[in-house]
Amino acid sequence: MKLNIAVLSGDGIGPEVTAQAIKTLNAVADVYNHTFTFKEALAGAIAIDKTGDPLPQETLDLCLEYDAVLFGAIGDPKYDNDPSAKVRPEQGLLKLRKSLGLFTNIRPIKAYPTLIDKSPLKRDRIEGTDLTIYRELTGGIYFGEKKLNEQGTIASDLCEYSEKEIERIAHLAFKAARNRKKKLTLVDKANVLETSRLWRKVVTNIGKSYEDVELDYLFVDNAAMQLILNPSQFDVILTENMFGDIISDEGSVIGGSIGLLASASVGDENAMFEPIHGSFPQAKGKNIANPVASILSAAMLLEHFGLNEEAQAINKAVDKSLEMKIVTTDLNPDSQYGTEQVGDFIADYIAHAEDSINYNQENINYGQSTII
Ligand code: IPM
Ligand code: MN
């Protein structure tokens, strides 16, 4: 298959981790005879610095033209700490999501057996967790009208949803549940919010055409609690934009590191793949950032295009790296491996999986090929 992939590696650790995802995709292309073409474009703080715009038109045009977008991370403390900043890197990301019509954000969360003890949550709570969050991404409070009165003393953000916006993501979430454990939980705040009541009505209706999927409902405050008390009860969680933002960060502690969580953002015509972690500016250029979330996002990209075997090859290589403790220091403080080395191992494992029998810890040399 030929795929043109726009690469927006962005700020902070974005470029380092994205480089590992590209390395991994190149290994897949070699082994399975695909042609993946990558083209870099500016986004985020780096784009503001160079062009004054967090999402230059040229970048947007490339993303619209190409088959998929591989996204790194954006954000820079110089904007976070300045509430009066007129342009912010995040605006670029939000505009990109909206302009590409990426209305569904998919965030899988899994308790990896080899990492269970890394999570601050107790083993017996998180064991067996394998859930995925379907977060609405182009509506709700993020995109509603924003107001600030002249004195700068009263502000509001409008949260608005239409039936159509709810329907299109609900269908995707039901279909996903159908292929998984056949359970869908709608997370909302229907005891208070009108938008949530609309979500319940629409999702309940759609549920009638997915009779094999069990549908239940949870208020978001309760869901936040259930997610750490008993996360293995969930299969697919469907929710609106801001609730999804919050509970997916919360869910990340289950996996032991936010550095493991990948995501796909899809619409009718475009798709973008990105780690859920931020730009982690303190780690920039230090070769310590965990590239796994970015690499797993590349696996989601392959899956999106029906390349399931290839996606599985990446997932297996990641599992192997975790099993063999070829991980960054967020997962093992004594680790001698950095971003690059973890990427090398995963790419090499894909290229030479049949030789895996020869791997052992002593033979993996820092900064060198991991294949004996
Ligand atoms: C995310 C991020 C973004 C969001 C920010 C950077 C705008 O937190 O992708 O979860 O809130 O959607
Ligand atoms: Mn977030």
Side-chain angles (χ1 to χ4, degrees):
M1 183 181 280
K2 279 200 170 94
L3 283 179
N4 289 329
I5 302 170
V7 179
L8 275 49
S9 53
D11 306 320
I13 58 168
E16 295 163 61
V17 295
T18 309
Q20 309 316 310
I22 293 175
K23 194 186 275 177
T24 305
L25 285 170
N26 279 330
V28 169
D30 275 354
V31 174
Y32 296 89
N33 281 317
H34 299 302
T35 309
F36 300 151
T37 310
F38 300 95
K39 192 161 174 191
E40 279 273 355
L42 291 173
I46 183 169
I48 301 178
D49 292 346
K50 294 200 173 152
T51 70
D53 182 348
L55 183 69
Q57 190 60 41
E58 212 184 314
T59 300
L60 184 54
D61 289 344
L62 182 80
C63 295
L64 286 165
E65 182 200 331
Y66 269 33
D67 300 308
V69 181
L70 192 59
F71 196 90
I74 57 167
D76 190 290
K78 75 180 172 207
Y79 299 99
D80 296 346
N81 305 330
D82 176 7
S84 66
K86 287 267 173 306
V87 254
R88 295 171 182 281
E90 288 78 5
Q91 289 163 347
L93 180 58
L94 298 178
K95 184 173 166 201
L96 188 61
R97 289 172 177 170
K98 195 77 174 174
S99 314
L100 298 182
L102 307 174
F103 58 83
T104 298
N105 182 229
I106 307 165
R107 299 184 162 180
I109 291 173
K110 207 162 95 174
Y112 285 93
T114 46
L115 293 179
I116 283 191
D117 298 318
K118 291 283 155 229
S119 172
L121 303 174
K122 292 198 182 96
R123 169 179 280 273
D124 62 316
R125 303 255 175 210
I126 59 175
E127 219 157 29
T129 300
D130 181 0
L131 61 90
T132 187
I133 298 174
Y134 272 61
R135 166 190 176 194
E136 202 290 327
L137 203 59
T138 51
I141 198 166
Y142 273 55
F143 292 95
E145 189 188 355
K146 298 181 185 311
K147 283 193 198 158
L148 183 64
N149 71 349
E150 257 173 42
Q151 296 82 358
T153 51
I154 302 177
S156 68
D157 297 275
L158 180 68
C159 180
E160 209 168 30
Y161 269 110
S162 69
E163 256 178 354
K164 202 175 147 272
E165 284 176 307
I166 301 167
E167 276 163 13
R168 57 189 184 180
I169 183 174
H171 280 293
L172 295 185
F174 274 110
K175 282 183 191 139
R178 188 169 257 178
N179 291 322
R180 295 172 45 99
K181 292 176 276 176
K182 301 191 172 17
K183 186 175 170 194
L184 189 139
T185 305
L186 175 65
V187 168
D188 64 23
K189 189 74 187 171
N191 50 347
V192 178
L193 302 178
E194 204 55 52
T195 41
S196 286
R197 289 192 274 270
L198 184 64
W199 272 83
R200 275 208 189 195
K201 192 181 104 190
V202 173
V203 172
T204 305
N205 254 332
I206 291 177
K208 292 180 190 147
S209 36
Y210 296 88
E211 273 176 356
D212 51 331
V213 178
E214 180 199 338
L215 170 64
D216 66 359
Y217 313 88
L218 269 187
F219 295 142
V220 63
D221 45 354
N222 189 11
M225 181 170 72
Q226 295 297 329
L227 197 60
I228 46 174
L229 276 183
N230 179 17
S232 62
Q233 70 181 288
F234 296 112
D235 179 19
V236 175
I237 292 178
L238 169 62
T239 192
E240 60 102 76
N241 203 343
M242 190 156 76
F243 295 160
D245 179 44
I246 298 168
I247 63 167
S248 58
D249 266 33
E250 187 193 10
S252 74
V253 295
I254 295 168
S257 170
I258 197 167
L260 296 173
L261 288 194
S263 82
S265 303
V266 303
D268 289 330
E269 258 135 55
N270 299 289
M272 178 162 98
F273 304 86
E274 62 177 300
I276 91 151
H277 60 67
S279 59
F280 193 11
Q282 304 83 344
K284 181 183 173 172
K286 293 191 180 150
N287 195 36
I288 57 171
N290 191 341
V292 167
S294 184
I295 292 171
L296 289 176
S297 302
M300 291 185 86
L301 182 156
L302 297 175
E303 223 178 294
H304 179 78
F305 290 100
L307 303 177
N308 296 326
E309 193 185 327
E310 290 82 340
Q312 269 317 105
I314 297 185
N315 293 335
K316 255 200 229 143
V318 167
D319 285 348
K320 194 75 186 176
S321 74
L322 298 175
E323 194 185 299
M324 295 187 65
K325 297 201 168 53
I326 299 169
V327 294
T328 41
T329 49
D330 50 318
L331 296 177
N332 173 15
D334 304 324
S335 177
Q336 51 174 321
Y337 305 110
T339 313
E340 282 263 357
Q341 289 69 42
V342 173
D344 283 347
F345 174 84
I346 290 169
D348 280 350
Y349 189 81
I350 291 165
H352 306 275
E354 66 278 13
D355 305 337
S356 59
I357 206 93
N358 295 325
Y359 279 105
N360 66 48
Q361 203 71 30
E362 290 80 61
N363 287 321
I364 298 164
N365 296 316
Y366 185 78
Q368 297 174 18
S369 169
T370 52
I371 300 293
I372 326 166

